Amino acid sequence: MLDPKLIRNELDYVAAQLARRGFKLDVAAISTLEDQRKAIQVETQQLQNERNKSSKAIGQAKAKGEDVQPLLDAVANLGGKLKAGEERLEQIQNQLNEILLGIPNIPQADVPDGRDENSNVEVRRWGEPPRFDFTVKDHVDLGDGLGYLNFDTAVKITGSRFSVMSGPVARLHRALAQFMLDTHTREHGYTEVYVPYAVNSDSLLGTGQLPKFEADLFKLNTDPAYYLIPTAEVPVTNIVRDTIQNAEDLPLRFVCHTPCFRSEAGSYGKDTRGMIRQHQFDKVELVQIVKPQDSLDALEQLTGHAERILQLLELPYRTVTLCTGDMGFSAAKTYDLEVWLPGQNKYREISSCSNFGDFQARRLKARWRESETAKPQLVHTLNGSGLAVGRTLVAVMENYQQAGGAIAIPKVLQPYMGELTIIE
RNA sequence: GGAGAGGUGCCUGAGUGGCCGAAGGGGCUUGACUCGAAAUCAAGUGUGGAGCUUGCUCCACCGAGGGUUCGAAUCCCUCCCUCUCCGCCA
């Protein structure tokens, strides 16, 4: 959520910034509602003040044993007016709030303008796409040939967009997650956390998935409703919801391995083959809670932590800055990491690292205090995939494939595979 | 799932209709004392919001949401959470 005061005082500026990412702010509606809000709030608070004073007077008169009937008569019709005012105020504040919750974050100044992914800017490349002296297979054919990756069985068990792995491929998948967790905890200073895979609506509101993107979520039939997490970002970032952190405890760095569940509504034609776009996939997520002045550096650092995994796995990738039109709802700036997939002969997203500024923190009421006596202020939140495990498995299979359809094991994973060097 | 007890500020703990944004104690901050520390003494110490003459005034918040009342932390209803016991269970 943007700062309501900023919207109130700099409405045109906010509208211009949001226009950069293709969001049309309804300036007229907001300023009309804002005028109404102001008038009614002042009026209502005045009535409340009147009521409080009268009630106090009645109490005092009663204590002295005086006749309170005249005082009661005087406030007789105050109640109705007050109630009407409070109801109107609540109604208008709800309307304003609904609009506010639907407004995306303002892009950082250095984010390139653009409508869609075509305007994303490549900032660096690492590694060389491998050359093969045979016809390359994609991970579906490789998995099929080996017999360790199966989509038909998953369709029987559940439906489309799920997968079944077995044997060494299942182990490789597990090894990847272990390797990522170990690297981030041992080398990058993250604290491993284990969290619920189902969350309540407050948590989703806090990180920005609700109210706008309910269609992308799996909703459980509980009362109140729980939702399967679409990313560990939700439970992990919500660790600091409704808290005030001490300055010396920041930054907080969490790493978390969870399954992620996405209904992928509205992407029916996309990536229907293979493991690229699934309803269920594993991800190792990095989350940082930092002081506002540190968030720009933290994004560079966090992106580097995610890149490090690709480098250690020796997977070629490139880093792109998302343009204003391609960024997620809550992000102020996002780097995507795109790994080389020989099966598709192109780079595909494997990680997304974002700085959210105080956008999530305001929804989360996540704050910190400079010193004992200082006022609490909002933290900044960041997160990034470090990495998407399923897509990393795809990348390893396709980049490490051998002539006969076997798959070599990256060196850093061999300790996790009982020193196995090849899957065949 | 069944039975019972509870949810108050950073912590502890009082408050059962008005003088309560909330006693007392602890903690913390500042000052005094001290060579310094401890002890002692004094003062201060929640969050969010609104308005304007930016320093003041006002509003809201005692798990959440409703209700009763001129007035609710206090009474009523619903929900959530915690604890104890029983049942079931990885």
Side-chain angles (χ1 to χ4, degrees), chain A residues 38-56:
Chain A
K38 191 162 168 174
I40 293 167
Q41 182 162 358
V42 168
E43 185 193 325
T44 303
Q45 292 193 346
Q46 212 157 353
L47 287 170
Q48 286 172 324
N49 181 227
E50 217 172 294
R51 183 217 39 213
N52 290 348
K53 280 185 183 157
S54 304
S55 296
K56 202 165 253 184

Side-chain angles (χ1 to χ4, degrees), chain A residues 172-388:
Chain A
L172 183 60
H173 182 258
R174 172 162 60 91
L176 281 166
Q178 302 292 343
F179 164 68
M180 292 176 196
L181 282 169
D182 286 346
T183 304
H184 293 309
T185 53
R186 289 174 190 162
E187 292 177 28
H188 298 151
Y190 288 77
T191 302
E192 183 172 352
V193 288
Y194 173 87
V195 294
Y197 299 160
V199 295
N200 58 37
S201 59
D202 281 346
S203 293
L204 289 157
L205 206 70
T207 35
Q209 284 78 14
L210 288 181
K212 270 194 122 169
F213 307 103
E214 181 163 21
D216 296 333
L217 300 168
F218 285 106
K219 187 176 188 174
L220 300 181
N221 187 27
T222 55
D223 186 25
Y226 292 161
Y227 298 81
L228 295 181
I229 56 170
T231 158
E233 163 193 353
V234 179
V236 176
T237 311
N238 271 277
I239 288 173
V240 296
R241 171 152 57 91
D242 291 318
T243 65
I244 301 175
Q245 301 295 323
N246 295 323
E248 63 267 25
D249 295 333
L250 298 178
L252 295 174
R253 294 195 188 94
F254 297 119
V255 59
C256 188
H257 168 218
T258 70
C260 304
F261 302 92
R262 298 188 183 175
S263 78
E264 297 289 356
S267 62
Y268 293 110
K270 267 189 194 168
D271 299 314
T272 46
R273 180 177 166 87
M275 278 189 75
I276 294 293
R277 193 173 298 275
Q278 301 265 285
H279 286 313
Q280 173 187 321
F281 62 96
D282 276 27
K283 184 154 59 73
V284 170
E285 185 77 358
L286 304 172
V287 173
Q288 291 202 25
I289 313 294
V290 306
K291 298 176 189 174
Q293 62 267 31
D294 296 336
S295 69
L296 295 186
D297 289 343
L299 178 63
E300 302 303 320
Q301 184 199 61
L302 185 148
T303 305
H305 293 154
E307 288 182 33
R308 183 78 186 130
I309 300 296
L310 288 166
Q311 292 167 8
L312 289 168
L313 291 170
E314 298 180 73
L315 292 170
Y317 70 92
R318 61 177 197 153
T319 306
V320 303
T321 306
L322 295 194
C323 74
T324 50
D326 201 28
M327 280 198 304
F329 178 77
S330 304
K333 181 175 183 177
T334 299
Y335 290 118
D336 270 10
L337 305 186
E338 297 180 346
V339 71
W340 178 257
L341 291 188
Q344 298 190 7
N345 204 39
K346 60 179 166 189
Y347 288 98
R348 290 300 308 261
E349 177 187 344
I350 196 167
S351 170
S352 193
C353 304
S354 301
N355 181 10
F356 302 94
D358 62 13
F359 187 89
Q360 290 182 328
R362 187 169 291 108
R363 293 169 166 242
L364 293 161
K365 295 179 187 67
R367 294 167 296 173
W368 70 294
R369 211 190 283 273
E370 178 78 63
S371 69
E372 284 286 343
T373 48
K375 282 268 166 201
Q377 50 178 322
L378 296 169
V379 297
H380 280 193
T381 61
L382 305 98
N383 68 55
S385 354
L387 307 161

Side-chain angles (χ1 to χ4, degrees), chain A residues 32-183:
Chain A
T32 303
L33 278 171
E34 186 48 39
D35 289 346
Q36 289 177 24
R37 186 230 97 222
K38 191 162 168 174
I40 293 167
Q41 182 162 358
V42 168
E43 185 193 325
T44 303
Q45 292 193 346
Q46 212 157 353
L47 287 170
Q48 286 172 324
N49 181 227
E50 217 172 294
R51 183 217 39 213
N52 290 348
K53 280 185 183 157
S54 304
S55 296
K56 202 165 253 184
I58 290 169
Q60 283 164 353
K62 226 173 184 176
K64 288 186 204 149
E66 293 169 3
D67 179 19
V68 296
Q69 197 52 49
L71 289 167
L72 286 176
D73 293 343
V75 294
N77 60 352
L78 209 144
K81 276 203 315 202
L82 184 56
K83 188 158 189 176
E86 282 173 342
E87 275 168 7
R88 264 195 308 164
L89 181 61
E90 193 191 338
Q91 198 191 332
I92 284 172
Q93 279 180 328
N94 284 345
Q95 282 178 48
L96 267 171
N97 210 255
E98 203 173 307
I99 293 174
L100 244 50
L101 286 173
I103 299 174
N105 203 354
I106 291 176
Q108 230 168 263
D110 60 344
V111 172
D113 285 5
R115 292 177 75 163
D116 54 37
E117 63 204 35
N118 295 313
S119 302
N120 293 346
V121 175
E122 181 177 310
V123 290
R124 58 185 163 265
R125 265 178 207 231
W126 188 94
E128 284 289 319
R131 281 163 211 247
F132 299 96
D133 50 11
F134 54 87
T135 310
V136 297
K137 295 177 176 168
D138 75 356
H139 68 284
V140 179
D141 291 337
L142 288 164
D144 200 39
L146 293 164
Y148 298 131
L149 181 57
N150 189 301
F151 297 98
D152 297 341
T153 308
V155 167
K156 177 179 70 183
I157 298 170
T158 309
S160 66
R161 292 198 190 278
F162 289 89
S163 54
V164 170
M165 292 175 262
S166 60
V169 169
R171 186 173 187 180
L172 183 60
H173 182 258
R174 172 162 60 91
L176 281 166
Q178 302 292 343
F179 164 68
M180 292 176 196
L181 282 169
D182 286 346
T183 304

